[in-house]
Amino acid sequence: MTTGTAVERLFIAGEWVETNRAHQVYNKYNGELFAQISMAGDQEVDSAVTAAERVLRSTPFAVEHRYQVLMKVAELLTESADEIAAIIAQEGGKPITDARVEVLRSANTFQLAANEARYLTGSMIPSQASPGIGSRMMYTVKKPIGIVCAITPFNFPLNLVSHKVAPALAAGNPIIIKPASDTAVTSLKLCELLEKAGVPKGYVQCLVGSGSTVGERLLKDPRIQLYTFTGSPEVGKHIQQTIGMRKVTLELGSNSATIVHEDAHIQQAAAKLAKMAFAHAGQICISVQRIFLHESIEQEFMQAFLGHVSNLRVGDPLDPLTDVGPMISEKEASRIETWVQESVEQGAKLITGGKRNGSLFQPTVLTGVQKGMKVVDEEVFAPVVSISTYSTIEEAIGLVNDSKYGLQAGVYTKSLSLAHRLPYLLEVGGVIINDTCCFRADHMPYGGVKESGLGKEGPAYAMQEMMETVTVVINLDE
Ligand code: NDP
């Protein structure tokens, strides 16, 4: 493989492995070569799964040791925050200020998992609950599920990997990471820190290569017990169809919505929505894509909202003043440009934005949209938001639910009654009152319904998915 830029290797069985095939990672803002990474092939996939299988059988990872390693990773992440944020900004195009927040959130994710490891426990089963059980004592114990395979997307190249690695290790499982090829350097950096923190050899492997080669090969290896995937609904469905009876967690896309009701704090809502509709150029699974305004507040909201949008700075992600960086590729920016043009031809009104310069796409606001337009029905995953009005809350609920997705919804309202009723009425995995649909705390249960996925993340919840529950029954009469 040629040298020149940063040269990265794969991490397998605690060793840094070089191959004779190179994968190029580019700077998403200026298009320059950022890194070259050894690319995995069939042999490396097999070595990684074999290493994971070997440690699972031969090297138990004691709970106290898990705790220490995970806490140490958190400390190392915090110390390296600036360095890793710069990597994320260059290979992922994420504004540096947001990238730094991602690193600190990842440190928190590791701490949360470390703490959960100490409290892993099964539960007592009340044997008297069914008749005729006799003198039997019943309880459950938890044990590691086995080899976990994490397949991750480009948009949070550190924290979404951490949301899989930290709980897998906290639950005592070896893990194989298949990061998005576009942003794989960040995962390898995390592996360096895991190694430094003393993770036992073989408990973590990182394989770089495309989904259609390395990903497919991993899906077909029967030694893997659980797949934890974050990415597009298309790939998620494919994974579920390919892996048969093995377990899977799917965190997929959405066209998330936020309602701003007549009794909302309009100025606050406008400021926050203008930020969260365009954060990371809209490439967040819970990005604000659809805003529903009560008709009585339309004018005041639009004036405030558009004022904030016009202040957003688009440009170099390494500049701390940048709000909106490039999209992951020019191809993606060109895709959304076409979708916006198509919506305008179908009757939508372009209020601002709609222009592209390479992979930079201007923050775009549409009104007059309707079902049948891609910008409404599909996940835009771009800095584009559409705004519609409603007259009754029932109508707004119907608009939010009229989607094949259901990840999270936001609702701005001062009504306590609505705040308590809406979680039962909205078809989503999370309802965020007086904030946007784009809120996530790393310890909360997080995951969607419908085509937005299966299962929950957040270390405590992911760990439940990553452990086997064994029921124990003791007949006390014998
Ligand atoms: P993709 O689905 O394109 O890719 C995700 C991962 O899957 C990558 O590592 C990719 O590899 C891999 N992959 C692709 N094809 C296959 C295959 N046939 N078999 C196995 N693995 C495969 O998603 P993006 O990276 O483009 O991320 C954007 C998507 O992620 C959006 O839909 C977004 O909503 C969703 N997402 C969901 C979140 C949630 O928590 N619900 C959070 C963040 C994002 P490679 O790219 O290297 O080829």
Side-chain angles (χ1 to χ4, degrees):
M1 107 185 227
T2 51
T3 52
T5 329
V7 177
E8 306 285 343
R9 291 167 295 169
L10 307 173
F11 191 56
I12 302 172
E15 308 293 335
W16 293 95
V17 175
E18 190 165 337
T19 68
N20 57 11
R21 298 166 302 276
H23 166 69
Q24 273 84 26
V25 176
Y26 293 93
N27 178 310
K28 303 302 180 292
Y29 179 65
N30 59 23
E32 287 170 9
L33 185 63
F34 176 63
Q36 299 211 69
I37 310 178
S38 280
M39 205 157 44
D42 290 356
Q43 192 188 325
E44 288 73 30
V45 174
D46 184 60
S47 304
V49 185
T50 302
E53 194 182 33
R54 196 178 310 124
V55 288
L56 190 63
R57 296 211 172 122
S58 64
T59 320
F61 192 4
V63 168
E64 190 52 28
H65 190 194
R66 294 178 209 168
Y67 174 82
Q68 282 161 4
V69 167
L70 296 172
M71 289 301 274
K72 185 69 187 170
V73 174
E75 189 187 313
L76 294 171
L77 280 167
T78 309
E79 281 170 21
S80 327
D82 290 338
E83 185 197 346
I84 302 178
I87 296 174
I88 296 173
Q90 290 171 86
E91 69 169 354
K94 180 173 287 182
I96 189 84
T97 320
D98 298 338
R100 203 166 187 285
V101 171
E102 178 174 350
V103 182
L104 299 180
R105 280 183 60 186
S106 292
N108 181 44
T109 302
F110 271 89
Q111 278 169 351
L112 289 165
N115 287 320
E116 288 297 330
R118 283 189 154 168
Y119 296 98
L120 283 178
T121 182
S123 57
M124 290 303 297
I125 312 293
S127 51
Q128 72 278 10
S130 297
I133 300 296
S135 297
R136 285 176 171 82
M137 184 183 172
M138 301 162 80
Y139 62 95
T140 62
V141 293
K142 299 280 185 181
K143 62 180 188 186
I145 193 164
I147 303 172
V148 172
C149 174
I151 303 181
T152 56
F154 73 82
N155 61 340
F156 282 83
L158 184 64
N159 199 28
L160 290 180
V161 176
S162 304
H163 265 286
K164 301 181 185 314
V165 173
L169 295 177
N173 300 297
I175 184 162
I176 299 162
I177 311 164
K178 206 308 278 169
S181 309
D182 276 333
T183 51
V185 178
T186 307
S187 291
L188 293 166
K189 185 71 204 168
L190 177 64
C191 290
E192 269 178 40
L193 303 190
L194 281 152
E195 183 187 30
K196 212 165 157 188
V199 73
K201 281 180 192 284
Y203 266 92
V204 176
Q205 354 287 323
C206 186
L207 297 174
V208 177
S210 74
S212 56
T213 55
V214 173
E216 287 291 341
R217 183 87 191 177
L218 284 164
L219 297 184
K220 290 181 183 128
D221 194 311
R223 294 172 290 178
I224 295 171
Q225 275 81 19
L226 180 141
Y227 294 85
T228 166
F229 173 76
T230 301
S232 61
E234 296 68 36
V235 177
K237 282 183 211 167
H238 169 71
I239 291 175
Q240 200 188 20
Q241 283 156 8
T242 312
I243 62 168
M245 297 284 282
R246 290 173 293 159
K247 250 179 125 175
V248 66
T249 302
L250 299 174
E251 297 292 343
L252 311 176
S254 192
N255 57 353
S256 302
T258 294
I259 298 172
V260 188
H261 201 43
E262 57 190 336
D263 56 359
H265 194 306
I266 298 169
Q267 297 299 324
Q268 235 170 52
K272 194 70 188 286
L273 282 160
K275 184 171 161 57
M276 301 321 293
F278 305 110
H280 197 14
Q283 300 165 118
I284 302 178
C285 48
I286 40 176
S287 188
V288 180
Q289 178 171 334
R290 298 178 296 152
I291 298 177
F292 298 116
L293 300 178
H294 189 269
E295 59 194 9
S296 64
I297 60 162
E298 181 182 7
Q299 214 179 348
E300 184 183 346
F301 178 91
M302 288 303 282
Q303 196 180 4
F305 181 80
L306 293 173
H308 290 295
V309 174
S310 67
N311 287 333
L312 292 171
R313 285 182 56 156
V314 181
D316 185 353
L318 282 176
D319 180 346
L321 295 176
T322 294
D323 299 296
V324 182
M327 291 184 63
I328 193 66
S329 64
E330 192 163 343
K331 184 166 161 245
E332 278 298 292
S334 165
R335 182 227 358 126
I336 194 62
E337 185 181 30
T338 311
W339 284 20
V340 169
Q341 280 164 3
E342 201 178 281
S343 74
V344 171
E345 281 155 24
Q346 292 169 324
K349 193 166 168 202
L350 180 63
I351 304 295
T352 182
K355 294 194 183 66
R356 181 176 72 81
N357 176 9
S359 56
L360 287 172
F361 197 72
Q362 291 295 318
T364 298
V365 181
L366 295 166
T367 59
V369 297
Q370 47 185 286
K371 278 285 283 181
M373 296 178 180
K374 287 199 189 89
V375 291
V376 173
D377 297 351
E378 306 299 329
E379 176 181 41
V380 294
F381 221 57
V384 174
V385 66
S386 62
I387 306 185
S388 316
T389 56
Y390 66 88
S391 52
T392 65
I393 193 69
E394 289 73 25
E395 192 188 341
I397 294 166
L399 287 164
V400 173
N401 291 346
D402 191 6
S403 166
K404 59 186 170 185
Y405 300 115
L407 197 42
Q408 291 201 150
V411 185
Y412 281 89
T413 177
K414 293 202 185 87
S415 161
L416 255 185
S417 159
L418 261 188
H420 285 287
R421 278 190 293 130
L422 286 172
Y424 295 95
L425 301 172
L426 293 169
E427 296 165 1
V428 288
V431 173
I432 317 294
I433 304 292
N434 287 323
D435 208 328
T436 76
C437 49
C438 200
F439 173 85
R440 178 178 185 185
D442 289 295
H443 61 284
M444 74 189 210
Y446 176 78
V449 300
K450 301 188 199 171
E451 292 194 19
S452 289
L454 279 180
K456 297 280 185 198
E457 284 201 336
Y461 307 92
M463 282 165 71
Q464 291 304 322
E465 311 269 355
M466 292 172 174
M467 287 182 300
E468 205 62 73
T469 301
V470 182
T471 306
V472 183
V473 179
I474 302 177
N475 186 350
L476 300 170
D477 283 340
E478 288 300 312

